[in-house]
Amino acid sequence: MRRIAAGIAPYFVVFSASACGLIIEIVASRLLAPMVGVSLFTWTSIIGVVLAGISLGNYLGGVLADKYPSPKTLGIILLGAGLTSLAVLPMLALVSGLYDALHVLPRIVLITSTLFLVPSVILGMVTPVVIKLRLRSLAQTGNVVGKIYALSTAGSIFGVFITGFVLIQWIGTRPILLGVAVFLVLMAIVFGSLWRMRVVGAVALVLFAGIAGMGIAGDSLESECQVESNYFCIKVREREIEGRKVRTLTLDRLIHSYVDLDDPTFFVYGYEKIFADISTMVGYSKPQFSALYIGGGGYSMPRFLELAYPESRQEVIEIDPAVTRVAHEYLGMPRDTRIITHNQDARMKIPELEPGTYDIVVGDAFNDVLVPYHLTTMEFNEQVKRLLTEDGIYVVNVVDKFHSGGFLRAVVTTLRASFPHVYLFADSKDFESDNRFTFVVAGALQPFTYADVFFASHAEQRGDPELVLMPQDELDDWLGLKRNILLTDDYVPVDNLLAPVFLDIP
């Protein structure tokens, strides 16, 4: 029995260490999200730093294995991996403000490297040391190395799946890191003979207790998220805006909604006011209209229209069911609301909906650090167009720089490929500045004018509309200044188009 256990042990260690490495990599994205968001740049940094660490660790592990081929070497490596993994937690608060003076790209790389490079290096040292300890003769080299690397890859796959599908939504990121650290230290004791090294063992326990104590004292073991879902770190906070007490909904690092529990007609963001102006035009001419929202967030717009037009039908496609639960529990959306919610990816749900049903579709799933690119393409626009009535309108918010950015141009160009009438709105008359700004683009099957919006807004006693419409000749001239990209499922370089915006994020 002991011989069987001894034969399995090396493979178990490699499998487990590789799983821990990928668990840390997946957890890294959730830990960084409240600081720098989740984007292509974030994932590129995480994957690059972790792979660099594993590569360097493989090299250093090979050097150590030749000089000190002993189970104690493996034990010290596993112990170091556990301690440095645990140290990530108390370092989070320090690192989050350490590189604030830098632009976002170098800040992401440096934050990721500071937190996750060392644990990745140490975990990368495990495999070559285990190979050295497992080899008995050169005749077995191919067999032993092949098995160990196969188990290492299998462990990595297991780590990815168990973290993404189970652990994050079950226990949260910080307990996961704590569990990984404890598990690695236990492996060091059991498989690394640390229990025979009393001095090293005692020092390890003191260090482990000290780091854990720092984490507890600094509340780093407590997540700042009220809810940690498969998609977002969700936070609801109270603050005062314009003399009102409101609640904010933050998803990762961005405030998505300001909600006045007593007044669903209150909006803070300019693009929400534009959505409300266009929806008012639709509701004035057809009080029984049907609206579909891509992205729920704080449910501000559907709650407003549910109140303003009781005969209307409001449907929301919100990918994250946790966001919907938070809207009910913290943001005042009643349980008996008539708003219908589909917790599904919009690209999957929209083909299931009945064609010619909706008078307005509101796209509110984009921000300046996370754009679901599959919801920007011509193919998706065609799916939305199929849902609209004969005079239906599709409106979508777009964050970009008016001159140096490329995403807004691409969105307008792509909508023009599907809709006969495309309009560009802002809540300011200044289309000349190149600051980061949230615009609204509308694709319509029938033409409408600012006068139509103005008349409806006053008829509904909402006063002057907030929106400013760019004249069509100016829109054509603006589009003619640069190359415009048609976004398709085969070519959708959204992150590259948004690079000027992303680099400008403080």
Side-chain angles (χ1 to χ4, degrees):
M1 196 70 178
R2 286 185 180 179
R3 293 183 64 184
I4 294 174
I8 294 174
Y11 302 110
F12 176 81
V13 169
V14 168
F15 180 92
S16 301
S18 297
C20 288
L22 266 293
I23 289 172
I24 291 172
E25 181 173 342
I26 299 299
V27 165
S29 69
R30 303 303 308 132
L31 292 174
L32 293 179
M35 291 186 277
V36 293
V38 177
S39 65
L40 176 65
F41 304 106
T42 310
W43 271 113
T44 299
S45 177
I46 292 170
I47 294 171
V49 166
V50 171
L51 286 177
I54 292 172
S55 177
L56 180 58
N58 287 164
Y59 170 75
L60 296 177
V63 173
L64 277 177
D66 285 340
K67 288 187 176 181
Y68 309 103
S70 165
K72 293 180 181 178
T73 302
L74 178 62
I76 292 172
I77 289 172
L78 292 171
L79 174 63
L83 292 175
T84 54
S85 298
L86 182 63
V88 169
L89 295 175
M91 289 175 63
L92 277 171
L94 172 66
V95 171
S96 64
L98 191 60
Y99 306 111
D100 282 351
L102 300 176
H103 280 297
V104 68
L105 287 186
R107 188 161 79 241
I108 290 174
V109 174
L110 287 172
I111 289 174
T112 308
S113 300
T114 303
L115 292 174
F116 302 107
L117 180 61
V118 174
S120 300
V121 169
I122 298 176
L123 284 168
M125 297 166 70
V126 171
T127 298
V129 172
V130 171
I131 290 174
K132 182 72 174 183
L133 295 176
R134 183 62 180 163
L135 278 175
R136 294 292 180 266
S137 71
L138 293 177
Q140 298 176 318
T141 301
N143 185 33
V144 170
V145 171
K147 285 181 180 178
I148 287 178
Y149 273 106
L151 265 295
S152 174
T153 303
S156 298
I157 296 169
F158 174 79
V160 169
F161 285 163
I162 195 68
T163 308
F165 293 160
V166 179
L167 294 180
I168 287 180
Q169 63 176 338
W170 181 31
I171 61 175
T173 51
R174 284 164 171 79
I176 291 173
L177 262 185
L178 178 61
V180 166
V182 171
F183 182 73
L184 288 168
V185 171
L186 289 176
M187 281 209 304
I189 294 171
V190 174
F191 300 108
S193 301
L194 284 194
W195 56 274
R196 295 180 180 177
M197 303 168 63
R198 295 182 181 178
V199 175
V200 175
V203 171
L205 288 175
V206 170
L207 286 173
F208 193 87
I211 295 172
M214 288 171 57
I216 294 170
D219 293 329
S220 60
L221 296 180
E222 295 293 329
S223 175
E224 62 180 5
C225 314
Q226 276 172 274
V227 178
E228 204 166 352
S229 72
N230 282 345
Y231 299 94
F232 303 110
C233 167
I234 305 172
K235 295 173 285 188
V236 177
R237 300 288 186 266
E238 291 191 353
R239 62 185 297 183
E240 189 170 307
I241 297 287
E242 299 178 15
R244 299 170 178 252
K245 288 185 177 180
V246 301
R247 291 185 180 179
T248 62
L249 173 69
T250 301
L251 305 181
D252 292 334
R253 72 184 294 270
L254 295 174
I255 297 178
H256 279 242
S257 302
Y258 294 86
V259 178
D260 186 331
L261 299 182
D262 299 321
D263 184 6
T265 67
F266 176 69
F267 299 111
V268 173
Y269 287 129
Y271 78 87
E272 291 180 314
K273 297 174 183 178
I274 296 173
F275 284 163
D277 288 335
I278 297 175
S279 299
T280 298
M281 179 185 68
V282 174
Y284 174 72
S285 61
K286 187 187 296 184
Q288 302 90 2
F289 71 95
S290 293
L292 176 67
Y293 306 86
I294 301 170
Y299 281 71
S300 302
M301 192 58 54
R303 288 186 62 217
F304 158 67
L305 292 175
E306 181 186 36
L307 176 66
Y309 300 96
E311 299 176 75
S312 67
R313 176 183 174 88
Q314 313 294 319
E315 287 186 58
V316 177
I317 302 176
E318 169 53 57
I319 191 171
D320 192 348
V323 170
T324 304
R325 289 197 301 270
V326 166
H328 283 297
E329 293 174 11
Y330 299 101
L331 301 178
M333 188 166 73
R335 294 288 180 180
D336 61 350
T337 179
R338 292 181 291 105
I339 300 170
I340 300 169
T341 297
H342 310 282
N343 291 128
Q344 197 171 341
D345 188 298
R347 191 68 189 260
M348 305 300 294
K349 182 62 185 177
I350 279 181
E352 301 174 1
L353 299 176
E354 185 177 350
T357 301
Y358 302 96
D359 299 285
I360 184 169
V361 175
V362 178
D364 191 11
F366 304 162
N367 57 60
D368 48 359
V369 296
L370 179 62
V371 174
Y373 64 89
H374 60 304
L375 306 185
T376 69
T377 65
M378 181 178 65
E379 290 85 351
F380 178 72
N381 293 344
E382 290 293 332
Q383 291 180 1
V384 172
K385 180 181 176 181
R386 182 186 66 89
L387 299 181
L388 293 172
T389 57
E390 291 182 357
D391 56 352
I393 302 172
Y394 174 39
V395 292
V396 58
N397 67 313
V398 178
V399 182
D400 201 1
K401 290 187 171 186
F402 188 67
H403 295 290
S404 61
F407 182 49
L408 178 63
R409 292 174 175 277
V411 170
V412 173
T413 300
T414 305
L415 278 171
R416 280 187 162 189
S418 299
F419 290 87
H421 310 282
V422 176
Y423 306 97
L424 178 60
F425 300 95
D427 65 351
S428 166
K429 294 181 180 179
D430 185 8
F431 282 102
E432 297 302 320
S433 71
D434 198 36
N435 297 322
R436 186 180 60 209
F437 194 78
T438 302
F439 301 89
V440 171
V441 186
L445 297 180
Q446 299 295 330
F448 66 91
T449 65
Y450 175 82
D452 296 325
V453 181
F454 183 90
F455 180 81
S457 185
H458 277 271
E460 297 286 5
Q461 299 183 343
R462 295 191 66 241
D464 290 346
E466 296 281 344
L467 60 79
V468 175
L469 172 63
M470 172 171 264
Q472 286 297 307
D473 56 344
E474 292 184 20
L475 180 61
D476 292 336
D477 291 342
W478 172 71
L479 287 173
L481 293 174
K482 290 185 179 181
R483 171 176 174 252
N484 300 299
I485 293 175
L486 180 70
L487 302 174
T488 68
D489 286 348
D490 291 329
Y491 183 65
V492 54
V494 168
D495 292 281
N496 292 329
L497 293 171
L498 279 171
V501 175
F502 197 81
L503 289 169
D504 191 47
I505 295 174

